[in-house]
Amino acid sequence: RGDLTETAKVTWSYDRNTPYVASPLLYQGILYMTRQRSTRLTTLRARDGQLFQEAEQIEGLSDIYASPVAAAGRLYFIDRRGTTAVLEAGKTPRVLSVNKLNDTVDASPLLIGNQIYIRSWNRIYCLKES
């Protein structure tokens, strides 16, 4: 109860390069987060907050509102222009591919099986892995 900020209840904290709209992603023990609305990616070990990478640019993306998602060892970041970057999960993720829909996207993608659902301002896209 009450303010826990300066108590032993807080295991660790990090106050740089944090998101504005998008939620951080916890996947396989690593916390992934973008800086503000930018495409600068920071990775931390979730258990103790150890910094692996700080504010590294995700090439091919711009302004991000959507929260990232992950499956099968891959991370999916989508920007407001409808561009999705697929990254290999890990301490220092690398871009595997960049894919574009010519539509405005603010919503987080949804992964089900081998399909990704993307809601734009005007429609819903269902993309299937080939």
Side-chain angles (χ1 to χ4, degrees):
R1 291 181 181 241
D3 184 357
L4 302 176
T5 307
E6 300 297 327
T7 71
K9 297 287 184 187
V10 177
T11 304
W12 61 268
S13 68
Y14 180 83
D15 64 356
R16 296 179 311 277
N17 300 304
T18 57
Y20 173 69
V21 177
S23 297
L25 169 66
L26 176 60
Y27 184 66
Q28 296 178 337
I30 298 175
L31 190 63
Y32 301 88
M33 61 185 164
T34 53
R35 179 180 175 265
Q36 297 292 325
R37 291 184 306 244
S38 78
T39 59
R40 298 267 176 196
L41 180 62
T42 295
T43 58
L44 303 158
R45 184 166 50 208
R47 180 181 66 230
D48 59 11
Q50 178 185 341
L51 181 65
F52 295 129
Q53 152 183 307
E54 187 170 44
E56 292 295 321
Q57 180 68 38
I58 302 173
E59 295 302 323
L61 297 182
S62 64
D63 204 26
I64 293 179
Y65 277 28
S67 298
V69 294
R74 295 187 179 121
L75 312 171
Y76 299 84
F77 290 84
I78 190 164
D79 71 13
R80 297 195 75 210
R81 296 177 308 170
T83 303
T84 301
V86 181
L87 284 70
E88 179 179 55
K91 295 175 183 177
T92 57
R94 66 179 179 90
V95 175
L96 299 173
S97 68
V98 176
N99 308 287
K100 181 140 181 73
L101 295 170
N102 288 317
D103 209 341
T104 304
V105 177
D106 290 333
S108 303
L110 172 65
L111 303 175
I112 299 177
N114 66 344
Q115 296 175 323
I116 184 170
Y117 294 85
I118 298 172
R119 183 180 62 79
S120 72
W121 281 13
N122 301 305
R123 63 185 61 177
I124 295 175
Y125 297 89
C126 177
L127 306 165
K128 188 174 183 180
E129 184 179 323
S130 53

